[in-house]
Amino acid sequence: MWLNEPVKVLDTQAQAQAEARQTQLTKPAGSLGALERLAIRLAAMQGKHKPNMQQAWISVFAADHGLAETGVSAFPQQVTAQMVQNFISGGAAITVLARQHQAPFEVVDVGVKADFANQPGLVVDKVGYGTANALTQPAMTQAECQQALEVGKRAAERAVQAGASCFIGGEMGIANTASSSLLLACLMQTDIAPLVGAGTGLDSAGVQHKTDILQQVLAFHSSTLNQAQPLDILACVGGFEIAALAGAYLRCAQLGLPVLVDGVITTSAALVANAMAPQAKDWWIFSHLSVEPAHKIALDFLGVKPLLQLDLRLGEGSGAAIAWPLLQQACVLHNQMATFAEASVSSGA
Amino acid sequence: MWLNEPVKVLDTQAQAQAEARQTQLTKPAGSLGALERLAIRLAAMQGKHKPNMQQAWISVFAADHGLAETGVSAFPQQVTAQMVQNFISGGAAITVLARQHQAPFEVVDVGVKADFANQPGLVVDKVGYGTANALTQPAMTQAECQQALEVGKRAAERAVQAGASCFIGGEMGIANTASSSLLLACLMQTDIAPLVGAGTGLDSAGVQHKTDILQQVLAFHSSTLNQAQPLDILACVGGFEIAALAGAYLRCAQLGLPVLVDGVITTSAALVANAMAPQAKDWWIFSHLSVEPAHKIALDFLGVKPLLQLDLRLGEGSGAAIAWPLLQQACVLHNQMATFAEASVSSGA
């Protein structure tokens, strides 16, 4: 069973070498802050004292949610399929960013409530036509949940196969902040109300309605959710694209491919994977702090600090793509700066 | 007198067009946060509803400080000249970043206490061999101060001439956080102690010594500094490279070239220029919040919010260069994303 394979262990020798190198570069010690820490982490992941970030790989997982029927999103459900077409046609934010960064890009239909013509850039790996409405039944069966995790596993393996330096996962699915809030409440065992936000743009009445619905969902499934395992929670209130992301993040950690995590929905997938394999988060770099209120709570729960805080709340993997140049810059600074000895510069007192 | 020429007025029509365009792009309104605001600001600066950030220009101004004699830095004074050579040889952080971003790069010797052989990438535009020690006399004469401002003016004009989309100014000068703290205290009319930090790496005793020295400097010049004009303050306690930066920032605002401001020292130059021409800051984008405690105070004084917070404290323009890809990404997203109509995507409720 692939889910139980061990997470790759970080290379502490390469990490120590990178730490030592940072102290010798021509700058006051520590003065490149988060970029120094990034270079050192990437060295430990790649097992090289001079890590390289040559190419990001971007997989966006798209799926529909039965919960959309309950009016928890500001956008109609058909927007999921419309946006899949927009990703492929090149007009969506994440596609623009993929082009800008020359990153291989694919949209994975893991469960959209529509069919698409075969097109370059589209991977059809469908588990179903949207999840069931979690208000009245589990969102997925256990079998569907396993299949969706495997969709993510396959995407991670394609990225490794292509020689990617970093995996960026994105998501599209109308109502998926609702699913994300449900997952976070169950996994962190906290009240859901502080975890519910405006998503794509609900007003305060909309947020209240969303909160009411999500509380009903939790009440309906309370006997199942009480003391449930992570995968039971995922099947009960998750989404196909979130399960795929969890599978991808876990597989990246098993295979040793660094991950750039995006916003609140991808972080909820990370929490699922973290509950299954706590070491996996060594391989994940959190790109930004979203405006969605649940995101800070989830990041604090994981004990991680994101790189950026730019008031983003788009999803699609866009925040991770926006952070990608920081990883590249961290590496070129680490690799190409001269040491005090090389440059004949006096070091500090 | 060029210092009194008016700052270029922003194009409010292009700004309104860019604002309208942002609401039509295929994303929830506002979901790209700071990047939307950046694209709109750049549209207003460039007078185009689709702004472009093709090429950054980087000028690093280097000069020595008489105050270094008082032991206010963790590094010896000769490091200024050594780092100039390191900039030119390609081993310094800002040089690595300039290469990564394919940005034209120059080091401007505005007052280093050494002479350099003619080398590509070095501009010798020398006002003197370091400032005088402000503990016992004004750092510069009024004439030197004017000359240093003009050094920056010429750099801004070279950037415009080269067709740059954005001006990044950096600085190198052992003891220049001391000069920066003095300038900020005088311009904001506040106590200096909260504005004194570790600079390149002082311990707490070193910070205390630096604070004591800077208080003595302020006491020594109190009759001059009391109710002084910005240029009098600059001449009394500033540095050649800080004056050059102030001149460059002002000239960019006059000529309509967007500026990416770096850390605390460049921000102190911005405060000088802002005191001379308050509209100039419309043209300045603040790239990051430095670890130096004075930086947040100075940014709050200007009423501006930086893009990044990465625990940087290197200077050289490095933080601005690290933020440069955000400007590029803001523009390509703004320009290349499809509208709801173009992509046949339903807009929100």
Side-chain angles (χ1 to χ4, degrees):
Chain A
M1 178 57 176
W2 73 275
L3 290 173
N4 300 322
E5 288 177 26
V7 164
K8 188 171 176 185
V9 176
L10 295 179
D11 185 330
T12 53
Q13 189 178 350
Q15 178 177 334
Q17 287 170 333
E19 279 167 0
R21 176 169 172 78
Q22 275 292 336
T23 65
Q24 294 157 15
L25 299 177
T26 44
K27 58 178 172 55
S31 61
L32 281 171
L35 296 200
E36 296 189 12
R37 299 190 288 272
L38 259 183
I40 291 165
R41 281 192 69 187
L42 291 169
M45 294 187 206
Q46 292 193 334
K48 295 193 282 205
H49 73 287
K50 290 187 174 182
N52 272 300
M53 287 285 117
Q54 301 285 11
Q55 189 148 56
W57 169 283
I58 306 178
S59 297
V60 177
F61 301 94
D64 274 303
H65 289 256
L67 262 182
E69 296 164 15
T70 64
V72 290
S73 174
F75 280 79
Q77 190 173 48
Q78 64 262 32
V79 168
T80 306
Q82 292 168 347
M83 283 300 295
V84 166
Q85 193 54 56
N86 196 26
F87 292 137
I88 298 167
S89 310
I94 189 61
T95 332
V96 171
L97 293 168
R99 222 160 39 225
Q100 174 75 0
H101 299 318
Q102 300 177 295
F105 174 77
E106 63 177 26
V107 187
V108 182
D109 174 5
V110 55
V112 181
K113 203 171 176 175
D115 285 306
F116 302 96
N118 270 338
Q119 295 165 82
L122 174 68
V123 175
V124 179
D125 204 352
K126 231 176 167 76
V127 177
Y129 288 83
T131 50
N133 184 347
L135 188 56
T136 52
Q137 57 194 300
M140 310 172 220
T141 64
Q142 285 289 348
E144 286 173 329
C145 185
Q146 294 285 345
Q147 286 172 48
L149 287 158
E150 278 168 32
V151 170
K153 168 179 177 281
R154 282 190 283 275
E157 289 169 355
R158 284 193 295 275
V160 170
Q161 191 64 33
S165 332
C166 174
F167 182 89
I168 292 176
E171 41 55 46
M172 179 68 219
I174 292 302
N176 68 4
T177 58
S179 179
S180 161
S181 297
L182 288 164
L183 285 169
L184 293 173
C186 296
L187 291 164
M188 300 192 296
Q189 301 191 300
T190 59
D191 183 23
I192 197 165
L195 302 173
V196 183
T200 50
L202 293 173
D203 59 16
S204 60
V207 174
Q208 187 54 57
H209 171 70
K210 185 176 173 184
T211 307
D212 293 345
I213 294 283
L214 299 187
Q215 282 168 334
Q216 290 171 42
V217 171
L218 293 176
F220 180 82
H221 294 287
S222 60
S223 61
T224 310
L225 291 171
N226 195 24
Q227 312 235 315
Q229 294 300 304
L231 291 192
D232 299 325
I233 293 169
L234 181 61
C236 195
V237 298
F240 291 141
E241 82 283 39
I242 297 176
L245 282 161
Y249 290 167
L250 181 58
R251 192 60 174 169
C252 285
Q254 291 173 345
L255 299 179
L257 179 61
V259 168
L260 252 177
V261 180
D262 186 28
V264 68
I265 294 154
T266 51
T267 299
S268 74
L271 247 82
V272 172
N274 179 67
M276 294 159 66
Q279 284 75 34
K281 78 176 174 192
D282 287 352
W283 293 88
W284 306 334
I285 295 160
F286 290 82
S287 59
H288 77 105
L289 176 64
S290 161
V291 173
E292 275 286 302
H295 200 203
K296 181 166 184 356
I297 300 169
L299 294 172
D300 288 347
F301 181 84
L302 285 171
V304 297
K305 199 172 172 297
L307 293 169
L308 299 171
Q309 185 168 355
L310 293 170
D311 305 336
L312 306 175
R313 52 179 173 83
L314 175 54
E316 304 180 0
S318 58
I322 289 165
W324 163 248
L326 292 179
L327 273 60
Q328 294 187 294
Q329 293 182 91
C331 289
V332 296
L333 286 164
H334 180 84
N335 297 342
Q336 296 179 21
M337 280 182 71
T339 62
F340 285 107
E342 285 165 354
S344 303
V345 171
S346 312
S347 57
Chain B
M1 179 56 175
W2 73 275
L3 290 174
N4 300 324
E5 288 178 25
V7 164
K8 189 171 176 185
V9 176
L10 295 180
D11 185 330
T12 52
Q13 189 177 352
Q15 177 176 334
Q17 286 170 335
E19 280 167 359
R21 177 170 171 78
Q22 276 291 335
T23 65
Q24 293 156 17
L25 300 177
T26 45
K27 59 178 172 55
S31 60
L32 281 171
L35 295 201
E36 296 190 11
R37 299 190 288 271
L38 260 182
I40 291 165
R41 280 192 70 188
L42 292 169
M45 294 187 205
Q46 292 193 334
K48 294 193 283 206
H49 73 288
K50 289 187 174 181
N52 273 299
M53 286 285 117
Q54 302 285 9
Q55 188 149 56
W57 168 283
I58 306 178
S59 296
V60 177
F61 302 94
D64 274 304
H65 290 255
L67 263 182
E69 296 165 13
T70 63
V72 290
S73 175
F75 280 78
Q77 190 172 49
Q78 64 262 31
V79 168
T80 305
Q82 292 168 346
M83 283 300 296
V84 166
Q85 193 54 55
N86 195 26
F87 292 136
I88 298 167
S89 310
I94 189 61
T95 333
V96 171
L97 293 169
R99 223 161 36 225
Q100 174 75 1
H101 300 318
Q102 299 176 297
F105 174 78
E106 62 177 25
V107 187
V108 182
D109 174 6
V110 56
V112 182
K113 204 170 176 177
D115 285 306
F116 302 96
N118 270 337
Q119 294 165 83
L122 174 69
V123 175
V124 179
D125 203 352
K126 231 177 166 76
V127 178
Y129 288 82
T131 50
N133 184 347
L135 187 57
T136 53
Q137 57 193 299
M140 310 171 220
T141 64
Q142 285 290 350
E144 286 173 329
C145 185
Q146 293 285 345
Q147 286 172 49
L149 286 158
E150 279 168 31
V151 170
K153 168 179 178 281
R154 282 190 283 274
E157 288 169 355
R158 285 193 294 275
V160 170
Q161 192 64 34
S165 335
C166 174
F167 182 89
I168 291 175
E171 41 55 47
M172 179 68 221
I174 292 301
N176 67 5
T177 57
S179 180
S180 161
S181 297
L182 288 164
L183 285 170
L184 292 174
C186 296
L187 291 164
M188 301 191 294
Q189 301 192 299
T190 60
D191 184 21
I192 199 165
L195 303 173
V196 183
T200 50
L202 294 172
D203 59 16
S204 60
V207 174
Q208 186 55 58
H209 171 70
K210 185 177 174 183
T211 308
D212 292 344
I213 294 285
L214 299 188
Q215 282 168 335
Q216 289 170 43
V217 171
L218 292 176
F220 180 82
H221 294 286
S222 61
S223 61
T224 310
L225 291 172
N226 195 22
Q227 313 233 315
Q229 295 300 303
L231 291 192
D232 298 324
I233 294 169
L234 181 61
C236 194
V237 298
F240 292 141
E241 81 283 38
I242 297 176
L245 281 161
Y249 290 167
L250 181 58
R251 193 58 174 170
C252 285
Q254 292 173 344
L255 299 179
L257 180 61
V259 168
L260 253 177
V261 180
D262 185 28
V264 68
I265 294 153
T266 53
T267 298
S268 73
L271 248 81
V272 173
N274 180 66
M276 294 159 65
Q279 284 75 35
K281 77 176 174 190
D282 287 350
W283 293 88
W284 307 335
I285 294 161
F286 291 82
S287 59
H288 78 104
L289 176 64
S290 161
V291 173
E292 275 285 302
H295 199 203
K296 180 164 183 358
I297 300 169
L299 293 172
D300 288 346
F301 181 84
L302 286 171
V304 297
K305 198 171 174 296
L307 293 168
L308 298 170
Q309 185 167 355
L310 294 170
D311 305 336
L312 306 175
R313 53 179 173 81
L314 175 54
E316 304 180 0
S318 58
I322 288 165
W324 163 248
L326 291 179
L327 274 60
Q328 294 187 294
Q329 293 182 92
C331 289
V332 296
L333 286 164
H334 180 83
N335 297 342
Q336 296 179 22
M337 280 181 71
T339 62
F340 285 107
E342 285 164 356
S344 302
V345 171
S346 312
S347 58

